[in-house]
Structure formats: structure tokens, C-alpha cells
Amino acid sequence: MPTTSIEKSSPGVPFFDQSSSFTELWPLIGQHIDDVFDRGKFSHGRKVAELERALAEYTGARHAVAVNSGTDALVLLLRAAGIGPGDEVVVPAFSFFASASAVSLTGATPVFADITADGDYGMDPASAEAAVTGRTRAIMPVHLFSQPADLAALGALAERRGLRLLEDSAEGIGMRWDGTHTGLYGDGGVLSFFPTKTLGALGDAGMILTDDPEIAEQAGVLRHHGRMGRTIDHIAGISNLSGVSGTNSKMDDVQAAVLLAKLTQLDRDIARRRELADAYTERLAGADGVLAVPRTVDRGVPVDPVTYVYLVEVERRDELVAHLAARGIGTETYYPRPLHLQPAYADRPGHRPGAFPRAEAACARTLALPLYPDLTEAGLDAVCTAISDFYAGRQ
Ligand SMILES: *Cc1c(COP(=O)(O)O)cnc(C)c1O
């Protein structure tokens, strides 16, 4: 039995901890891992196929293609959708770095748009439209923290301009827009199973979701060295030939085993996240120093939010982080710098401070508080008390 907690008895609240969930789930994880050992195939094997079927069913996707990370899922989705050198893809300036780097890794260029003023941290449709040029092939909204970006408006924009709509739904498991799971509103999306995500593995893993059989087939080829499947070849006999330069982006069966076990608790975990988010909001909405708490933006269609990250906007953010750290409370800054000002992209024309003011303000003011199914009410109380002490000037 593994003990994954760093120091059980230490005071404070870690930013992320899953030790009690794992203790409870370990027998089921062990059974799935035993299966992997019995079959002796540790990568791209039958557990991976089982997970693909299970997630296709959970999300309603026609095709689910398992890979080794959310980042590779994005790169392969883009490549499978035909994005490559000379193309541009519009992405929001406020996101995880991989939303932009995945585009660059295909040989295409990420072009940035600002986020909305509504508090959903999603890509602003008007700003996205302004970023479209003759070379634009796709727009790629990102569903951040707890709710989908404005898919109706962004989908309409893609349709009007003849562009692909690809979704960075790495954080989006369980989020639905008018009944459609994130990643499936447009041409395809991804899931990340990085350990801290709502459905997390014990290492890196990811998945492509799509209803498009051609994208699914191409992504399936690209993840495995571009292999076209077993073919009879006049030179080599029966062999695996590669038709394109693919990557080794296969998923490990041990990660698939962990994920199959965790999937049995996903809905319970999502409900627990909602309960904790509501408890935070009750304590923090309108509190001194707290400028904003998460709220679901009404876009006139039913939306299923899922709190992956509980994100607040606060005054004197960096001082608060230091105050919380001194009390042993872990926080994260998602994301400290907007993508157009990341060193990898900062030398492009127009990439100066002020270019995407809402993305820049979000980077300066937002803070992610500890939120995960294992968080206790006492832990949540300690976080909220430490925040109110800080703004009341109590050390
Ligand atoms: C986590 C994440 C990714 C990347 O997923 P990995 O599995 O860590 O490679 C991409 N985009 C967003 C928005 C994410 O949150």
C-alpha cells in the first residue's frame, strides 16, 4: 500500500493531496494493474483500449484516442485536423503555456486573443474575430477552471469564417455545454489526466476526443510513429510501415489502470468539488480583499460547470501568497504571465504589455486555492481564516 502524503501530521493545507482517496481506491487500482501484468503489455495495450471505451461512453464521444499527455493530445489533434506550417490558430492569451506551444509544435503560429470581461476567463469572441487573418485555419478556445468558454459565439465565428473549432478541454472533464461534453462541440478536443486534474493519473496521460472518424484515425496513426498498421510489404514482408512522421505518444497501461479505477469515483469527486467550492464562496464572496469569486456566466443555455480550480481574484495577491505560505497553505498562480509575454513569444510584433489587458489583469490578480476531494472542512476553514486574517492585518 503506497503512502503518497508528504507529511500527514504537518500543519497547514497542501495545494493538492490525494492520499486518502488512494488508500480507499488502492484495491481496485491493484486489480487493474494485476491485469496489466497478466497480459504483459505495458504500453498501448488492452487497458488503454478499455479506458478509451470508458471515456467515450462517459463523454459521449464517438472516438477517444489515448495518448501520453494532454499536451501531446493537443499537438496530435491539431496535426490530425490538418494544421501545419504556414497556418495560424487563434488561442486565448490567458491559458497554460501548452495551449500556444502545441500550435507552434505543429509548425503553425499561435495568434492571441483576449478573454471576456464576464468572469469566465474564456476567449472573447470579438477579440478572436479581430485576430483572424487569411492564414487562420482554426480557433482554439480553452475551458478554464470551472466552465466552458462561450461555445455558441465561438462556434458561430468558426462557422462564419470557415475555420475549424478545436477545443483545449484539458481541464474540461465533466463540463457540458447544452448537454454536449467539452471537446465535442466543434471538430475535437482533448483531456489531460495530469495528477492534479479532476480525473488524474499517477503521472502524465491524456486523450483526444472527437466525433470525426478521420481526425480519430489520423491521431491514432500519429501517436504511434505514424504506423499505418500491419501491411504486407514486398521488401520487408509483413511489417509495420510508417506513412508520416508520427511521435511516440502512446499511453502507459499502468496509467490507464489507475484512471479506470478513478473513473468509478469521478461523479462523486465532482460533487465533492462542488460542495467545497460552494463552502469557499459562502465564506469569501464579498470578504475584505477578495475582488471576485467564481461564478457561472449565464449564456442562455444549460451549462454543467465543474470546479477543477477554485480561482479567486484578490488585492495584493503576491503578499497574500507569502502570508498563506508562512502558514503552510499551498496556492498556485494560474497563470503568472499571459502567453503573448512569455519569453517564447514576447519578440513578436504587437506583443507588448497592454496588448491583451483582460488577460494581463487576470494574471496579476488571480489565485488558485486548495481544492480537491480529499480537502477537509477544517482545511477549508484554515484557508479562509488565514485570508481574512491577512486583510484584517492580523499575522
Ligand atoms: C493541463 C493542461 C494542459 C496540458 O496537459 P498535460 O497533460 O499537463 O500535458 C493543456 N492545456 C490546459 C488548459 C491545461 O490545463
Side-chain angles (χ1 to χ4, degrees), residues 263-316:
L263 189 57
T264 63
Q265 291 197 348
L266 179 61
D267 287 333
R268 194 180 89 182
D269 286 351
I270 288 174
R272 174 72 181 150
R273 283 173 176 275
R274 181 174 309 128
E275 202 173 270
L276 290 164
D278 289 347
Y280 265 132
T281 295
E282 201 165 300
R283 292 280 297 271
L284 296 177
D288 284 346
V290 178
L291 303 169
V293 295
R295 66 195 167 83
T296 305
V297 176
D298 183 0
R299 303 232 180 259
V301 295
V303 163
D304 298 345
V306 172
T307 310
Y308 158 56
V309 167
Y310 190 85
L311 196 85
V312 289
E313 292 189 25
V314 291
E315 290 168 6
R316 294 157 58 209

Side-chain angles (χ1 to χ4, degrees), residues 69-71 74 95-96 98-99 142 144 168 170-171 192 194 197 205 335:
S69 71
T71 301
L74 282 174
S95 186
F96 183 55
S99 305
V142 186
L144 288 179
D168 180 347
E171 302 182 3
S192 164
F194 185 74
K197 299 273 154 99
Y335 299 95

Side-chain angles (χ1 to χ4, degrees), residues 59-277:
T59 60
R62 272 195 213 128
H63 306 278
V65 181
V67 292
N68 59 346
S69 71
T71 301
D72 272 22
L74 282 174
V75 176
L76 298 193
L77 169 67
L78 287 154
R79 286 187 68 186
I83 308 298
D87 298 336
E88 292 178 357
V89 177
V90 180
V91 299
F94 184 60
S95 186
F96 183 55
F97 184 66
S99 305
S101 64
V103 175
S104 300
L105 287 166
T106 69
T109 303
V111 176
F112 299 109
D114 211 344
I115 55 173
T116 71
D118 310 341
D120 65 355
Y121 303 104
M123 186 154 72
D124 178 52
S127 180
E129 180 141 35
V132 172
T133 73
R135 287 181 297 278
T136 308
R137 294 281 310 283
I139 58 174
M140 189 166 79
V142 186
H143 310 300
L144 288 179
F145 313 129
S146 62
Q147 63 194 295
D150 186 352
L151 282 169
L154 293 162
L157 165 62
E159 180 109 36
R160 197 160 65 240
R161 305 296 292 259
L163 307 170
R164 290 235 192 230
L165 179 72
L166 302 168
E167 297 169 59
D168 180 347
S169 43
E171 302 182 3
I173 196 157
M175 295 180 200
R176 287 182 173 79
W177 175 276
D178 204 5
T180 300
H181 196 278
T182 56
L184 297 167
Y185 190 85
D187 297 290
V190 302
L191 296 174
S192 164
F193 306 120
F194 185 74
T196 60
K197 299 273 154 99
T198 304
L199 178 64
L202 279 182
D204 284 298
M207 194 167 277
I208 294 155
L209 301 176
T210 184
D211 288 337
D212 181 329
E214 281 170 36
I215 289 179
E217 193 191 329
Q218 191 59 17
V221 166
L222 287 168
R223 74 176 157 179
H224 196 186
H225 306 287
R227 283 188 184 179
M228 302 180 294
R230 284 190 176 276
T231 36
I232 300 183
D233 172 49
H234 295 300
I235 301 165
I238 295 173
S239 66
N240 280 305
L241 297 181
S242 291
V244 288
S245 308
T247 46
N248 175 10
S249 302
K250 306 190 300 296
M251 184 189 280
D252 288 346
D253 282 66
V254 169
Q255 298 304 344
V258 170
L259 289 164
L260 277 164
K262 289 193 79 177
L263 189 57
T264 63
Q265 291 197 348
L266 179 61
D267 287 333
R268 194 180 89 182
D269 286 351
I270 288 174
R272 174 72 181 150
R273 283 173 176 275
R274 181 174 309 128
E275 202 173 270
L276 290 164

